[in-house]
Amino acid sequence: NAGVTQTPKFRILKIGQSMTLQCTQDMNHNYMYWYRQDPGMGLKLIYYSVGAGITDKGEVPNGYNVSRSTTEDFPLRLELAAPSQTSVYFCASSYSGQGASNQPQHFGDGTRLSIL
Amino acid sequence: AQKVTQAQTEISVVEKEDVTLDCVYETRDTTYYLFWYKQPPSGELVFLIRRNSFDEQNEISGRYSWNFQKSTSSFNFTITASQVVDSAVYFCALSEANSGYSTLTFGKGTMLLVSP
C-alpha cells in the first residue's frame, strides 16, 4: 500500500533556484492538495485539484505553480526559491465520490525544503 | 470564513495521566466536518477521527475519546492513561461541505509531551 508518495524527502536550494516537488498517489483519488507547514503555524493550503486538468489556488499560492495532467500525479513547482519558502511541504489526496467533503485526506510523508 | 483554534500550544504530562486537547471552531455552514490528525516526531500525518456536524454523539476508541458540542463549537480530544508513544503534535481541522470536495482548515496544533 503505497498511498501518497512524495519525493524528495529533503532538499536544500539556493535563493533563485527552481525545483519541482513530486507527488503521486495510487488510490485513484480525484482530489489532491498541497500544504506547507511552518513551525507553530499548522498547515496552510497552497493549491488543490479536483481532477486532471483542474487546479485552484488555496490560501498561500504566491511563488508556486501546479499542474495536474494525470489523476495520479500533482507536482508543485517553485520557480524562484526564496527564504520564505523554507518549510515542510505535504501532499494529500482524498476520495471524490458522493459525500467527498467528509472524507479524510491521506497525506504523504512530507518534503523538508530549506532555501539558503 | 472558517477558523480553527487550538489554544494550547504545548502540554506536558506524566505517563498514565489523562489529558484533554481543546479545539474550538468557527464556521457559517450548517453542514461541516471535523477531524483530528496526529503528527508524531517522525513527521507524518495520521488521521484519527472524523465527526459530522449533524452527529453530536461522542466517540471512544480505546484510550481516545472525543467530545463534540455544537453549542460551544468545540471538538475536544481526551487521551486516557497517556503513554510516551502519545507524544506528538495533534491537529484539529475543519471542512465545510463546499462544492463536494474537502478543503481542510487546520488549527496550529497542540504539542503533547508525555514523560515516563
Side-chain angles (χ1 to χ4, degrees):
Chain A
N1 280 346
V4 179
T5 302
Q6 292 183 237
T7 56
K9 294 191 183 304
F10 305 94
R11 185 73 183 268
I12 298 175
L13 283 181
K14 293 182 179 179
I15 295 172
Q17 286 185 321
S18 62
M19 80 162 292
T20 299
L21 281 64
Q22 301 292 344
C23 175
T24 187
Q25 53 91 11
D26 62 359
M27 295 174 282
N28 201 32
H29 287 164
N30 276 328
Y31 300 156
M32 295 188 74
Y33 316 83
W34 274 106
Y35 294 90
R36 60 177 287 171
Q37 183 182 21
D38 299 315
M41 295 302 294
L43 279 78
K44 293 190 176 181
L45 184 65
I46 305 172
Y47 271 95
Y48 63 95
S49 170
V50 299
I54 306 171
T55 63
D56 208 346
K57 296 178 180 179
E59 183 182 357
V60 289
N62 291 343
Y64 307 95
N65 280 301
V66 293
S67 59
R68 186 91 182 273
S69 57
T70 67
T71 299
E72 294 78 18
D73 300 310
F74 190 39
L76 178 71
R77 178 84 177 165
L78 283 72
E79 291 294 350
L80 289 171
S84 61
Q85 294 177 305
T86 294
S87 188
V88 180
Y89 291 85
F90 286 97
C91 178
S93 71
S94 65
Y95 171 72
S96 52
Q98 188 174 6
S101 54
N102 71 349
Q103 296 300 309
Q105 294 182 13
H106 301 267
F107 287 82
D109 289 341
T111 295
R112 188 175 297 274
L113 180 62
S114 295
I115 299 166
L116 306 175
Chain B
Q2 53 189 2
K3 182 179 179 181
V4 176
T5 301
Q6 294 179 255
Q8 304 151 308
T9 304
E10 184 174 319
I11 300 175
S12 294
V13 299
V14 177
E15 209 170 17
K16 298 185 182 178
E17 284 186 24
D18 298 347
V19 58
T20 296
L21 310 181
D22 298 332
C23 173
V24 174
Y25 61 90
E26 297 176 24
T27 178
R28 295 179 182 174
D29 275 17
T30 56
T31 301
Y32 52 89
Y33 309 95
L34 295 161
F35 302 80
W36 275 95
Y37 284 84
K38 175 182 180 180
Q39 187 176 40
S42 50
E44 73 273 22
L45 283 154
V46 179
F47 164 70
L48 295 177
I49 191 171
R50 170 193 63 227
R51 174 61 68 214
N52 303 327
S53 58
F54 43 86
D55 180 5
E56 288 194 69
Q57 187 174 10
N58 292 332
E59 183 154 341
I60 298 175
S61 176
R63 296 184 297 106
Y64 295 172
S65 63
W66 290 268
N67 183 288
F68 175 37
Q69 292 193 336
K70 289 182 73 172
S71 60
T72 56
S73 297
S74 64
F75 186 42
N76 297 337
F77 173 30
T78 297
I79 301 174
T80 303
S82 60
Q83 299 176 1
V84 173
V85 293
D86 295 327
S87 296
V89 180
Y90 291 87
F91 291 98
C92 180
L94 168 69
S95 170
E96 294 174 337
N98 180 17
S99 302
Y101 51 86
S102 167
T103 57
L104 288 172
T105 297
F106 283 84
K108 294 183 178 181
T110 296
M111 178 178 288
L112 174 64
L113 300 173
V114 182
S115 55

